[in-house]
Amino acid sequence: MKKILLSLFTVLCAAPALAQYSSGGFSLSESSLYYGIRLGINFAGISGDYVDLDTKTGMNLGGVVGLRLSDTTPVFLESGLYYTERGAKKDKAKIGLTYLELPILIKYGVQVSDDIAVLPYIGPYFSYGFAGKHKIPADMNDGESYSRSSYKRFNHWDMGFKIGCGAEYNKLYAELGYQFGVANIAKENQDDLDAHGHALYLNLGVNF
């Protein structure tokens, strides 16, 4: 948690310097292709047959590219690649699920002032889990601690949808969104359990 807050603080401190490289305003009509970096925090959980679990805090880090789809309407297609830490916890027990995530988002831009644009969005995401531990302390497991790969119980692949809203000021960007999995991430050998990942997230970043 401390490393996440420190990273976000660093981005906020660097934001004024990054903004100086802007032309002094942001115009949707002048944007056709952009690149960006994102850093943020998420509050993730697992629903379904795991309804008694609490949310787990993790980090998002990624790069994006966006393309305007119409000359007359400010509609953008954005994709990229994220490193994202999700999972869930219950007291001292934790399920860590670390993913590489590919979102495919449709954004619609609304120019609210000369410097600010708001961009609501929706679209699917596809994730592959490559790391993460399922840990249970000894005092919660009959005196024996438990630590194994989370993918003994959960599938590597996940798929779902994102919905949220971003705002851009000059080159600075911030967004708040929610993602929910539609794929069952519980493995078939887990007594037909049903499990779906979800997360509320906040990202900050810069567009170029």
Side-chain angles (χ1 to χ4, degrees):
M1 183 64 179
K2 290 182 179 179
K3 67 177 182 180
I4 299 172
L5 294 177
L6 179 60
S7 298
L8 290 174
F9 179 74
T10 302
V11 171
L12 289 173
C13 290
L18 290 169
Q20 292 177 5
Y21 292 97
S22 171
S23 61
F26 177 80
S27 174
L28 289 169
S29 62
E30 298 175 359
S31 299
S32 58
L33 179 68
Y34 63 87
Y35 303 90
I37 56 174
R38 304 286 185 262
L39 174 66
I41 188 172
N42 69 65
F43 305 93
I46 300 174
S47 59
D49 293 318
Y50 291 82
V51 293
D52 60 336
L53 296 179
D54 299 321
T55 59
K56 176 180 175 292
T57 304
M59 181 177 69
N60 303 315
L61 176 64
V64 302
V65 57
L67 175 67
R68 186 180 180 120
L69 300 179
S70 170
D71 293 333
T72 58
T73 306
V75 177
F76 298 84
L77 175 67
E78 182 181 288
S79 187
L81 188 64
Y82 283 83
Y83 165 92
T84 179
E85 299 170 342
R86 302 206 299 267
K89 66 179 182 178
K90 184 63 177 180
D91 299 325
K92 297 179 182 179
K94 295 181 180 180
I95 300 172
L97 297 168
T98 301
Y99 291 97
L100 288 178
E101 179 182 287
L102 175 72
I104 303 175
L105 306 176
I106 296 295
K107 292 189 168 186
Y108 183 83
V110 179
Q111 192 84 43
V112 297
S113 74
D114 291 340
D115 297 328
I116 300 174
V118 175
L119 299 102
Y121 62 83
I122 190 171
Y125 69 87
F126 304 89
S127 300
Y128 180 78
F130 67 94
K133 291 288 188 179
H134 183 192
K135 298 180 180 181
I136 303 176
D139 58 355
M140 296 180 63
N141 193 43
D142 298 326
E144 294 185 9
S145 61
Y146 176 96
S147 179
R148 300 179 67 183
S149 170
S150 296
Y151 302 102
K152 298 289 185 180
R153 292 175 174 263
F154 298 96
N155 293 313
H156 288 276
W157 291 100
D158 186 21
M159 180 267 175
F161 290 89
K162 284 188 167 187
I163 184 170
C165 187
E168 183 156 351
Y169 172 74
N170 292 340
K171 293 183 181 294
L172 305 180
Y173 180 83
E175 67 179 358
L176 178 67
Y178 182 77
Q179 64 185 83
F180 55 95
V182 296
N184 183 6
I185 60 175
K187 283 195 169 179
E188 294 180 359
N189 61 355
Q190 296 301 311
D191 300 323
D192 296 323
L193 291 178
D194 185 63
H196 300 275
H198 59 86
L200 176 69
Y201 61 88
L202 170 66
N203 291 329
L204 304 176
V206 182
N207 286 340
F208 303 98

